[in-house]
Amino acid sequence: MKQFTHIAETADYLEIQREKDLMIGFVPTMGALHEGHLALIKRSLQENDITVCSIFVNPIQFNNNNDLANYPRTLSQDLKMLESCGCDVVFFPDTAEMYPDGETISFGLNFGTLDKVLEGQFRPGHFNGVAIVVKKLFDIVQPTHAYFGKKDFQQLAIIKHMVYAMGIPVEIIPCETIREVDGLAMSSRNTRLSPAERKLASGIYQTLLNVREKIGKTPVPELKEWAVKKIEENDGFRVEYFEIVDQESLMPMEDWTSRDRAVALVAVFVGDVRLIDNIELFS
Ligand code: AMP
């Protein structure tokens, strides 16, 4: 596995591969890798000649310094995991390499309502930071295919919009959310839960499954209220939002008229750890 920390050496190496007409699959991550990330890597390995993974904890997408400081960093373990699953290239730059002029840049692209709803209401600037880093990484790697998890449903919508609006020549491949045996969506942040919190956290997905059973039967506002109450029954759990939205516009639904396009998304504070999850209600 090739390991790079500098932009120029990464770009040069991949330039040579591109000249051989190879398909390049790309999986951007923030490290603290788990089976959810590895599923993306494995899919890329199957569908491309070369798979590139990036590991970069992107400071400008954190709107909370505490969250940034506490974000798990497990680089040597990550490198071992990538090596053993057959990843070809890993790029792990430091902050100065990615943001040599400081971190206060903003993205000119208009995301319409996509970055204003859901996470956007509670994490101002978050998607601006995500879009900037992903665009920079796309410019360096110039992948033919890039793999993103549906776990970050809104992020996927933002990336798809950016690629379409800017005409970036990459195919975005959405990948299913990988879950622990009890249903909790795998997340690097799960390691920050106490054993008691970790046990209760499976209730988040169980509630999403319950919501899916109730579509069309319970009115949308009532169902949202029910779901919030159910999750908050767990000690120390506080729901930041629970929304049922259109899968493309991400605009909240008031009724079930367009239920075949509905997705339920939730953000929950478990103590000071913020978890997100979602479920497609139409499947
Ligand atoms: P992160 O390191 O959290 O920025 O995630 C890097 C990529 O892995 C993103 O495309 C995420 O959506 C994806 N990802 C994270 N957790 C999961 C999961 N449990 N299942 C599938 N994809 C995931």
Side-chain angles (χ1 to χ4, degrees):
M1 183 171 70
K2 295 268 178 207
Q3 300 186 17
F4 298 121
T5 53
H6 293 291
I7 292 173
E9 58 182 359
T10 314
D12 288 350
Y13 176 79
L14 291 171
E15 178 69 39
I16 296 165
Q17 310 311 311
R18 245 190 319 279
E19 279 163 9
K20 298 182 206 157
D21 237 7
L22 298 183
M23 289 209 292
I24 299 177
F26 179 42
V27 181
T29 81
M30 296 203 299
L33 301 182
H34 50 64
E35 286 299 325
H37 298 112
L38 295 189
L40 272 55
I41 303 273
K42 287 175 190 163
R43 174 119 184 241
S44 172
L45 284 166
Q46 278 171 9
E47 298 178 356
N48 299 277
D49 301 302
I50 290 192
T51 291
V52 182
C53 175
S54 64
I55 297 176
F56 179 60
V57 182
N58 177 32
I60 67 167
Q61 74 183 67
F62 285 79
N63 50 327
N64 177 328
N65 283 337
N66 199 33
D67 191 23
L68 174 60
N70 288 315
Y71 199 83
R73 288 160 173 90
T74 57
L75 184 62
S76 59
Q77 191 188 315
D78 292 349
L79 295 176
K80 279 189 204 134
M81 285 167 87
L82 291 173
E83 177 98 59
S84 61
C85 81
C87 184
D88 301 291
V89 178
V90 58
F91 173 53
F92 50 104
D94 64 16
T95 304
E97 181 73 6
M98 290 298 281
Y99 300 112
D101 300 324
E103 298 163 13
T104 52
I105 41 177
S106 85
F107 206 75
L109 198 63
N110 184 356
F111 290 102
T113 52
L114 286 183
D115 65 343
K116 316 271 178 322
V117 294
L118 304 166
E119 294 290 288
Q121 296 172 76
F122 300 99
R123 303 188 69 188
H126 169 65
F127 289 117
N128 180 65
V130 169
I132 286 171
V133 81
V134 172
K135 175 68 171 72
K136 274 176 173 267
L137 291 167
F138 279 176
D139 287 347
I140 297 162
V141 176
Q142 295 184 41
T144 48
H145 299 84
Y147 296 78
F148 290 87
K150 287 193 195 175
K151 151 110 187 343
D152 298 280
F153 196 87
Q154 190 173 9
Q155 169 173 285
L156 183 57
I158 294 278
I159 302 297
K160 281 201 233 162
H161 178 86
M162 176 180 81
V163 163
Y164 174 75
M166 301 182 85
I168 304 171
V170 59
E171 193 177 332
I172 301 300
I173 317 280
C175 300
E176 293 306 321
T177 300
I178 305 297
R179 299 180 178 281
E180 302 286 356
V181 179
D182 65 1
L184 176 65
M186 289 192 182
S187 164
S188 306
R189 290 187 172 88
N190 292 352
T191 57
R192 296 191 51 224
L193 300 172
S194 71
E197 289 169 338
R198 167 63 193 84
K199 211 164 163 205
L200 293 173
S202 62
I204 298 169
Y205 183 56
Q206 295 312 318
T207 304
L208 289 173
L209 289 173
N210 294 153
V211 164
R212 192 167 66 182
E213 281 162 19
K214 291 171 189 277
I215 57 166
K217 296 175 200 151
T218 311
V220 171
E222 211 175 288
L223 186 53
K224 290 197 305 194
E225 225 172 273
W226 177 85
V228 171
K229 224 167 128 200
K230 180 106 179 112
I231 293 171
E232 291 189 340
E233 273 170 12
N234 296 300
D235 218 16
F237 284 43
R238 181 175 66 77
V239 174
E240 193 161 55
Y241 64 79
F242 185 99
E243 272 301 348
I244 295 175
V245 306
D246 179 276
Q247 59 170 338
E248 262 168 43
S249 70
L250 304 186
M251 291 307 283
M253 288 182 175
E254 301 303 326
D255 56 44
W256 294 116
T257 317
S258 308
R259 58 191 268 182
D260 57 338
R261 303 172 54 82
V263 183
L265 300 100
V266 64
V268 187
F269 273 104
V270 178
D272 70 340
V273 182
R274 188 174 182 279
L275 302 179
I276 58 170
D277 201 355
N278 66 81
I279 192 167
E280 289 168 337
L281 298 178
F282 48 83
S283 54

